[in-house]
C-alpha cells in the first residue's frame, strides 16, 4: 500500500526542515512549543518568512531536556 500526506501543516514542516533546521536539529513551531516548554529548553529563533506564507512564523530550536 502507498500512503501520502498533504496539506498546509506538511508544507510548513517541509519548508522548516529544508530551509531552517540544520542536520540533527529539532525545530518546532509555536503550538508545539506551548506543549513542551516545561520539558525542554528551547531557543527562540528569529521569526521566519516561509515560501508561500503571507505571515512569518515564530520557530524554536530544542536545545536540551529539562
Amino acid at each position: 500500500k502507498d500512503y501520502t500526506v498533504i496539506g498546509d501543516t506538511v508544507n510548513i514542516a517541509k519548508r522548516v526542515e529544508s530551509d531552517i533546521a540544520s542536520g540533527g536539529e529539532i525545530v518546532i513551531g509555536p503550538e508545539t512549543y506551548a506543549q513542551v516548554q516545561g520539558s525542554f529548553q528551547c531557543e527562540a529563533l528569529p521569526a521566519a518568512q516561509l515560501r508561500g506564507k503571507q505571515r512569518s512564523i515564530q520557530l524554536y530550536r530544542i536545545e536540551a531536556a529539562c
Side-chain angles (χ1 to χ4, degrees), residues 10-39:
V10 176
N11 290 335
I12 291 172
K14 166 67 171 96
R15 289 183 176 109
V16 168
E17 178 183 33
S18 64
D19 299 343
I20 307 295
S22 297
E25 289 184 329
I26 299 172
V27 178
I28 58 175
E31 294 85 6
T32 303
Y33 175 72
Q35 298 294 316
V36 304
Q37 66 184 13
S39 301

Side-chain angles (χ1 to χ4, degrees), residues 2-64:
D2 289 331
Y3 296 95
T4 190
V5 292
I6 56 173
D8 194 47
T9 302
V10 176
N11 290 335
I12 291 172
K14 166 67 171 96
R15 289 183 176 109
V16 168
E17 178 183 33
S18 64
D19 299 343
I20 307 295
S22 297
E25 289 184 329
I26 299 172
V27 178
I28 58 175
E31 294 85 6
T32 303
Y33 175 72
Q35 298 294 316
V36 304
Q37 66 184 13
S39 301
F40 294 93
Q41 295 174 352
C42 298
E43 175 189 357
L45 300 174
Q49 182 66 48
L50 301 175
R51 255 185 353 241
K53 294 287 156 201
Q54 291 183 4
R55 294 190 294 181
S56 60
I57 182 171
Q58 179 61 57
L59 298 171
Y60 302 86
R61 178 185 301 116
I62 294 181
E63 296 291 324

